[in-house]
Amino acid sequence: MVASLWDDAEAAGHAGDLGQRIYTSRLLGRDPDLVLHGGGNTSMKITRRNVFGETVEVLVVKGSGGDLATIDESGFAHLKLDHVARLADLDVLSDTEMARQLTLAATAAGPPPSVEAILHAVLPHRFVDHTHADAVVTLTNTPAGAELIDEVYGDRVVVVDYVMPGFDLARTCAARVAETKRPGVEAMILMNHGIFTFADTARDSYEAMIRLVRMAEGRLDRSVPTWSNRSPSAPGIDRPSRARLLARLRADVSAAAGGPMVMSSHSDAPVAAFLDREDLADVSQRGPATPDHVIRTKPVPMLGRDVAAYAAAYLAYVETHRDRAPAEIQVLDPAPRVVLDAELGMCCVGRTPADAAIAEDIYRHTMDVINRAEALGGYRPISTADQFDMEYWELEQAKLHRRGVAGPLAGEVAFVTGAGRGIGRACAEALMDQGAAVVGVDVDPAVTEQRQGRQWLGVVADVTDPGALAPAVAAAVERFGGIDMVVANAGVFPPGTPIAQLDEARWRQVMTVNLDANLSLLRLVHPFLCLAPRGGRVVVIGSKNVAAPGPGAAAYSASKAALTQLARVGALEWGGDGIRVNVIHPNAVFDTGIWTEDVLAQRAASYAMTVERYRTDNVLGIEVTSTAVAAMCVAMCSATFACTTGAQVGVDGGNSRII
Ligand code: ZN
């Protein structure tokens, strides 16, 4: 149930009309049953004095594609009201001309206005709120939608049949404005789309939204049995097999998309219950719950795992409808954004983890809308032709482009061991800066909270325990769809011990962490690296000690030398799989976990140097940082190293013993 989130104390912190407009916009954005990810829009009409001292009416309306939940002053466009409202009097207005006119109407710098700006302008009320509330779209996406709306609201609303958003919808609504002035009318219901409420104050318009959506919810609750308590289907496949199927699917989806995509997977109770529907193949293929979802989810999800068939069907749909477009269209990639599969559950696809999460959120709400609409006589969204018009509407696609460039490694997934601190942490950060999703493994439980946001998955695991490493790899694939890059970094650097005093337990422990664990890791990730859309990359963190060992560091030097040899053989064996394996030999990176003050002092002493001298004891005379190592790691994962495998590169300031 939606509920009013209005709070007097909170509201008091938002002074003036614009403050109130921002506050109630955020309240709408806070409830996913009302709006999702850039859906919905709000406006207000105010008067201002212009530079000539004249009073002008200004429409303050949400920017296109902006998020209501986090909107602030900069998220609103300011437009000359009469100019915008008069556009609805025209017989025709192309998208290009509409965009031009809205730009010309601006009274202040701001974002491109909502595609519904003209509709906001023609409604006479001071405050206007628009959402795609689940309950309202559910009622209106049914064969008896108009009767249901009449039953629920009677004379309290004006009902508008589906018209594509933008100029046509604004014009249609403009013709109905007189009806909105009737006493007792609180809203306009747009069939198969959503609801507009309006009032003289921000609070009244918001409260009307909540009140009317609750009425729709009340009608639903009488008809729909609870279904979300059903338990998920018994998993038919073991976790490692499932991970391989996911990675195969993600590889196929990425190939269809023309570049790497991340893919999350979900098999919780609501997903399982939806997948269990006997009519799944029918109800899932009808279309989105509200028109603007189509740019996030494609018109329909893919059933099963045949990506080639889905892509062919998508291109056929484009061919069928492309003549409807007012101008030459640029055909979008034919890869699915939502996959429904009996074995894998729901998989959600995006160029970034954030995009995949948007597709997931939207489809979770869509499943709910479908379940409820089916219980009310059938789910009937807009026609396929209308879906095409919306998907290929340039103003809708512009919303996606406004999100900006995601980075050269966007869509790719890196698996970093020892990611909790030092070089591992720096590599993880640098890879995320380039757009990659990163799974960071560390024994330190703090790794899970180390970084906020959807690009990061922290997994607590001891890399020397194959029983912990395998689930970490599976978790990576379940969250992001695959593993494209591996940074084999976790390691230990024990206090210096001469060979004569080196006990076997210490020797074994160093070998276990620095060598054996990396063999386990490489064996586990190989099947996934083989499926990497741009080819797999392994970056092994070696050591300057491989070429120039130090006294007292027998175990460490031997383990890193063996690890380097393992990497070289890996480069030879895996080249045919398109996997590049390269080694970084850092030296004297003192901002890492293994360099405690004690170790530092001890190592300096073993070279008969001061700590200060030891820090910059290299040919260039500079301090080497974990950030410098991370930059090399990124380079090795990037196209710069496309023709390089089996290489060993020092990040050490230059070492005279090696040069
Ligand atoms: Zn809308």
Side-chain angles (χ1 to χ4, degrees):
M1 276 292 223
V2 300
S4 173
L5 302 174
W6 181 276
D7 178 281
D8 283 333
E10 221 178 19
H14 295 270
D17 284 336
L18 184 56
Q20 296 285 291
R21 179 65 287 174
I22 289 168
Y23 176 57
T24 58
S25 298
R26 289 181 186 173
L27 294 185
L28 293 174
R30 237 187 254 175
D31 193 333
D33 290 344
L34 292 174
V35 291
L36 285 169
H37 304 292
N41 38 63
T42 57
S43 70
M44 68 168 180
K45 301 174 185 79
I46 52 171
T47 53
R48 288 240 179 85
R49 271 192 196 286
N50 68 13
V51 70
F52 307 109
E54 301 153 346
T55 301
V56 285
E57 285 192 288
V58 176
L59 174 70
V60 180
V61 62
K62 192 193 88 164
S64 182
D67 195 339
L68 286 174
T70 54
I71 200 162
D72 60 18
E73 214 173 319
S74 67
F76 288 93
H78 297 244
L79 311 171
K80 275 173 256 165
L81 179 63
D82 63 335
H83 188 139
V84 180
R86 278 186 66 195
L87 295 174
D89 298 339
L90 299 170
D91 288 330
V92 280
L93 184 66
S94 70
D95 290 337
T96 311
E97 189 59 27
M98 180 169 91
R100 209 171 76 85
Q101 290 302 323
L102 293 177
T103 305
L104 285 173
T107 63
S114 162
V115 298
E116 310 287 20
I118 304 174
L119 173 44
H120 280 268
V122 297
L123 288 168
H125 312 77
R126 283 194 73 216
F127 288 84
V128 176
D129 292 26
H130 169 50
T131 73
H132 304 143
D134 285 359
V136 173
V137 300
T138 302
L139 290 178
T140 63
N141 279 324
T142 60
E147 290 99 274
L148 287 168
I149 292 297
D150 186 48
E151 177 195 326
V152 172
Y153 298 119
D155 291 340
R156 298 169 77 159
V157 301
V158 175
V159 181
V160 180
D161 285 339
Y162 182 76
V163 176
M164 181 170 156
F167 176 67
D168 291 343
L169 178 61
R171 214 165 149 262
T172 304
C173 294
R176 309 285 300 275
V177 158
E179 297 170 58
T180 68
K181 294 176 184 165
R182 268 191 339 237
V185 170
E186 297 175 89
M188 204 173 234
I189 300 287
L190 309 181
M191 298 301 286
N192 314 98
H193 177 166
I195 172 172
F196 275 83
T197 56
F198 26 73
D200 281 340
T201 68
R203 181 175 186 177
D204 285 350
S205 186
Y206 170 71
E207 299 284 7
M209 179 66 73
I210 300 301
R211 194 165 56 243
L212 270 68
V213 171
R214 282 183 76 107
M215 290 170 72
E217 288 177 336
R219 180 63 182 83
L220 294 181
D221 288 344
R222 277 188 276 137
S223 316
V224 180
T226 54
W227 52 271
S228 57
N229 291 333
R230 295 174 60 181
S231 61
S233 308
I237 40 174
D238 60 88
R239 202 176 180 193
S241 305
R242 186 166 183 273
R244 277 197 291 278
L245 289 176
L246 285 169
R248 173 82 256 166
L249 173 60
R250 182 251 181 175
D252 291 346
V253 167
S254 296
M261 304 289 267
V262 293
M263 186 184 86
S264 61
S265 58
H266 316 271
S267 49
D268 46 84
V271 167
F274 190 73
L275 288 172
D276 279 351
R277 288 191 68 109
E278 284 180 3
D279 56 2
L280 178 71
D282 174 16
V283 296
S284 69
Q285 299 300 298
R286 292 183 191 161
T290 186
D292 84 345
H293 288 174
V294 73
I295 58 167
R296 307 290 195 179
T297 59
K298 297 267 176 190
V300 294
M302 177 169 92
L303 293 177
R305 305 200 285 266
D306 188 345
V307 178
Y310 180 91
Y314 178 82
L315 294 173
Y317 141 87
V318 174
E319 274 319 304
T320 302
H321 298 291
R322 71 184 306 158
D323 290 343
R324 298 174 61 88
E328 192 55 34
I329 59 165
Q330 199 178 351
V331 180
L332 301 165
D333 79 70
R337 295 301 186 271
V338 178
V339 180
L340 303 174
D341 180 77
E343 282 185 305
L344 300 179
M346 175 172 73
C347 302
C348 299
V349 174
R351 187 89 168 101
T352 65
D355 288 342
I358 289 173
E360 181 200 341
D361 277 354
I362 287 177
Y363 208 73
R364 284 186 182 281
H365 283 262
T366 305
M367 290 190 288
D368 192 40
V369 169
I370 291 174
N371 285 326
R372 290 165 184 272
E374 278 296 301
L376 282 168
Y379 176 60
R380 295 280 181 281
I382 57 172
S383 71
T384 309
D386 288 328
Q387 293 166 33
F388 174 86
D389 291 349
M390 201 65 186
E391 186 179 10
Y392 280 88
W393 187 18
E394 62 177 280
L395 300 183
E396 280 293 301
Q397 287 300 325
K399 289 182 184 175
L400 298 182
H401 297 144
R402 229 166 271 138
R403 289 167 65 82
V405 182
L409 296 179
E412 299 203 85
V413 185
F415 190 93
V416 181
T417 65
R421 53 187 183 176
I423 288 174
R425 185 171 187 149
C427 289
E429 294 291 333
L431 289 164
M432 282 188 281
D433 286 347
Q434 299 295 309
V438 173
V439 180
V441 176
D442 206 284
V443 282
D444 184 350
V447 75
T448 56
E449 302 294 324
Q450 176 171 316
R451 164 103 175 206
Q452 300 303 307
R454 298 193 181 278
Q455 265 179 285
W456 171 254
L457 173 66
V459 178
V460 184
D462 178 348
V463 292
T464 63
D465 175 6
L469 200 53
V473 168
V477 178
E478 287 158 5
R479 173 66 71 90
F480 296 124
I483 296 173
D484 308 310
M485 300 167 277
V486 171
V487 182
N489 163 70
V492 288
F493 186 71
T497 313
I499 291 170
Q501 278 93 53
L502 184 61
D503 69 64
E504 292 206 10
R506 169 62 55 76
W507 171 268
R508 256 306 354 123
Q509 189 233 348
V510 175
M511 287 297 169
T512 302
V513 179
N514 291 2
L515 182 61
D516 301 0
N518 285 312
L519 174 65
S520 302
L521 173 67
L522 292 178
R523 285 163 57 179
L524 278 168
V525 297
H526 178 249
F528 302 107
L529 294 174
C530 287
L531 291 169
R534 287 191 187 134
R537 285 87 88 198
V538 178
V539 176
V540 169
I541 306 299
S543 167
K544 149 260 168 191
N545 281 38
V546 171
Y556 180 79
S557 304
S559 69
K560 289 291 190 181
L563 173 62
T564 301
Q565 205 71 345
L566 176 67
R568 296 174 72 199
V569 176
L572 291 170
E573 290 183 358
W574 293 358
D577 300 322
I579 301 167
R580 298 188 274 110
V581 185
N582 292 297
V583 183
I584 299 175
H585 291 314
N587 187 36
V589 180
F590 297 117
D591 58 344
T592 70
I594 55 176
W595 286 99
T596 61
E597 288 302 316
D598 281 352
V599 175
L600 194 53
Q602 205 174 29
R603 296 313 301 160
S606 78
Y607 287 95
M609 288 179 200
T610 63
V611 169
E612 215 41 53
R613 172 82 207 288
Y614 186 60
R615 277 181 184 281
T616 55
D617 182 34
N618 54 53
V619 171
L620 295 172
I622 55 171
E623 269 196 54
V624 182
T625 62
S626 53
T627 311
V629 181
M632 179 56 71
C633 171
V634 165
M636 285 180 166
C637 289
S638 75
T640 309
F641 272 68
C643 300
T644 304
T645 192
Q648 301 175 49
V649 180
V651 178
D652 56 7
N655 188 299
S656 56
R657 288 170 59 200
I658 299 172
I659 293 171

